[in-house]
Structures are given as structure tokens and as C-alpha cells.
Amino acid sequence: MRDDFDYDDDFSQDYDDEDDDDFGMTFEEDVYLMIREKLRDTIQEFKGKYPDLKKLESAVSSFKVNAKNTDDSKFYPLAAKLLSEHIKPLTADSEEIQEIYDNMQADIARFKNQRAHGHEGDFYLTD
């Protein structure tokens, strides 16, 4: 039995709250959610300037994945690949959608190589 137990000393550690957002998330889920967030934020930021992004917004909002009984390590890479294939036909409509698609591919590559840099930045378009 431990006689020197001091609640204040033993449990007063200061934990970094930044990592709490990722708690319980697999690498694959984290990458997929990052891709979706960058895609959404890019569309919201630039759709007023580039009207073709409204088509992309519609395509992304209608995207659904149905892959029952699939674990995270397979589901999220599959979902990212299917999302990519879903928006690929729109790349012919504008240079901006092509740039978004190309930059998204850099993040998708991280599923195969976790050390890959992915796309640097918060948006898939440069202004």
C-alpha cells in the first residue's frame, strides 16, 4: 500500500488540451476529416469569387459512402478515393476545381504513406 499518496501532487498534472481533439481517432479518420474540412473551407472561402465552385459544393454535399462492416483503416481511404472520383469529372469545368482536385490528391497520398507531406495550407486553392 502506498503511504505517500498525495492527491494534489499526483493528479495535478497539466495536460496539453490540443491533443484531446484527436483522442480516439485513427490516423485514417483524422486524414479523411482533414480532407473534408479543407474541401469545405475552400469552397466556402472561394465560391463567391469562382462560381464554378457551386457545382463542386453541390457534388460534395451529395456525396455518400456506404461501406458496411469496414474498419477505419479501409473505410476512410476508400471514402477519400470515392470522393475524389466523385468530383473528378468537374475538373474539366474550371482550373480552380482542377487545382482543388490536384491538391486534394496530395492529402489522399498520406493514406499510403503517413510520412508524405500532404498539401500544405488550410485551403486547396491559392488566392
Side-chain angles (χ1 to χ4, degrees), residues 74-102:
K74 293 181 180 127
F75 175 78
Y76 290 107
L78 174 64
K81 179 181 180 225
L82 293 174
L83 176 60
S84 175
E85 290 173 0
H86 184 69
I87 66 173
K88 186 175 183 173
L90 298 175
T91 61
D93 292 348
S94 78
E95 292 176 17
E96 291 77 29
I97 295 175
Q98 180 67 54
E99 181 181 346
I100 290 169
Y101 176 83
D102 291 343

Side-chain angles (χ1 to χ4, degrees), residues 31-95:
V31 170
Y32 179 72
L33 293 175
M34 179 210 42
I35 290 169
R36 291 295 301 237
E37 181 179 352
K38 283 185 183 182
L39 190 55
R40 181 197 67 224
D41 290 351
T42 300
I43 292 168
Q44 293 304 312
E45 181 74 22
F46 295 100
K47 72 180 177 182
K49 187 173 182 178
Y50 305 109
D52 286 337
L53 294 187
K54 291 179 183 174
K55 293 179 194 174
L56 180 61
E57 181 179 38
S58 178
V60 170
S61 67
S62 69
F63 176 73
K64 303 279 187 261
V65 178
N66 187 5
K68 295 179 181 175
N69 300 323
T70 306
D71 66 12
D72 285 1
S73 67
K74 293 181 180 127
F75 175 78
Y76 290 107
L78 174 64
K81 179 181 180 225
L82 293 174
L83 176 60
S84 175
E85 290 173 0
H86 184 69
I87 66 173
K88 186 175 183 173
L90 298 175
T91 61
D93 292 348
S94 78
E95 292 176 17

